[in-house]
Amino acid sequence: MPTESRRASRRRKGLPTWRLIRYADDFVILVHGPQGDTPALRAEIAAVLTPSGLRLSEAKTQVVHMADGFDFLGFRIQWRRKRGSDQWYVYTFIADRPIRSLKAKIRALTRRSSQMELGYVLTRLNQVMHGWATYFRHAVAKGVFCMLENFAWRRVVRMLQTRHRWNWTDVRRRFTTPRGSGGRSRRARSRCVRSRRSRSPGIATEATRSPAPWPLDHA
């Protein structure tokens, strides 16, 4: 299905269509048509790959409906109804695996027994989290960014508490603005996660009310 005109022609005839999205050896095939057309296409793909010495990974290949969603390149892509309306859109979220991976890196840098210099720890945290946030800046990720910011801040504070034997009174005295000229007390923490598009609603492509396509996901 190399062109949109060919896909439109097949849809007018009531025939299923498909579209390939590929990055390196990972690809997704979106099928517009009945669910029964997807297994047939899967068998055809396996036949095409066999002469090249390649095969589909049974563990990583799955057939799902867009309403159930699928993971691709770290993103969670899912067909959902927009809140408060009858419009359906394809939304891009952050998958669970990249979040777990980033939290593991933050834990490794902020172990309570760590003796690494604080300046180095903060620099590495900002490098890792800024690069991660830049990659996922187009996803619907405002809540995830806020959660990770709070997670990193608490990990750093607990590391400093153990290192300097501080209690929460010491932390508040060092990291909050005194009451007075500044008004109400607020936490003066360094924001490690910053992205100009962190508050963006993400990429949403409007879809029709007909059944969503069935993607064949190969990771």
Side-chain angles (χ1 to χ4, degrees), residues 18-39:
W18 56 270
R19 187 169 186 174
L20 172 69
I21 298 95
R22 181 183 69 87
Y23 181 83
D25 61 341
D26 293 335
F27 64 87
V28 169
I29 297 179
L30 301 176
V31 180
H32 185 276
Q35 182 180 1
D37 294 319
T38 306

Side-chain angles (χ1 to χ4, degrees), residues 48-85:
V48 171
L49 293 177
T50 300
S52 303
L54 303 175
R55 62 182 179 84
L56 293 175
S57 172
E58 295 297 331
K60 298 181 179 180
T61 304
Q62 56 181 332
V63 178
V64 297
H65 194 277
M66 285 291 291
D68 299 325
F70 63 95
D71 294 347
F72 184 58
L73 302 179
F75 292 92
R76 180 71 178 175
I77 302 172
Q78 192 170 8
W79 195 55
R80 288 189 179 183
R81 183 177 61 83
K82 184 178 180 180
R83 185 181 302 175
S85 71

Side-chain angles (χ1 to χ4, degrees), residues 108-120:
L109 287 169
T110 57
R111 298 185 188 279
R112 296 192 182 190
S113 59
S114 173
Q115 296 301 316
M116 289 188 293
E117 183 182 356
L118 180 61
Y120 172 79

Side-chain angles (χ1 to χ4, degrees), residues 51-176:
S52 303
L54 303 175
R55 62 182 179 84
L56 293 175
S57 172
E58 295 297 331
K60 298 181 179 180
T61 304
Q62 56 181 332
V63 178
V64 297
H65 194 277
M66 285 291 291
D68 299 325
F70 63 95
D71 294 347
F72 184 58
L73 302 179
F75 292 92
R76 180 71 178 175
I77 302 172
Q78 192 170 8
W79 195 55
R80 288 189 179 183
R81 183 177 61 83
K82 184 178 180 180
R83 185 181 302 175
S85 71
D86 293 331
Q87 299 294 324
W88 287 80
Y89 297 88
V90 177
Y91 286 98
T92 305
F93 304 98
I94 303 177
D96 293 335
R97 184 175 178 180
I99 297 175
R100 292 196 300 267
S101 177
L102 179 61
K103 293 177 76 172
K105 293 179 181 178
I106 295 174
R107 290 191 184 97
L109 287 169
T110 57
R111 298 185 188 279
R112 296 192 182 190
S113 59
S114 173
Q115 296 301 316
M116 289 188 293
E117 183 182 356
L118 180 61
Y120 172 79
V121 172
L122 295 179
T123 299
R124 285 294 299 142
L125 279 176
N126 277 280
Q127 289 174 344
V128 171
M129 298 181 72
H130 179 74
W132 192 90
T134 300
Y135 178 80
F136 289 107
R137 68 187 183 277
H138 295 298
V140 183
K142 177 183 175 181
V144 175
F145 286 171
C146 292
M147 179 272 293
L148 290 173
E149 177 186 9
N150 186 63
F151 176 78
W153 185 84
R154 288 185 175 275
R155 290 288 304 184
V156 171
V157 168
R158 292 189 181 279
M159 181 186 70
L160 294 176
Q161 281 184 296
T162 303
R163 179 180 299 181
H164 300 291
R165 298 182 180 179
W166 289 345
N167 54 32
W168 277 106
T169 301
D170 298 322
V171 172
R172 286 194 295 269
R173 184 169 62 248
R174 288 170 170 81
F175 296 103
T176 58

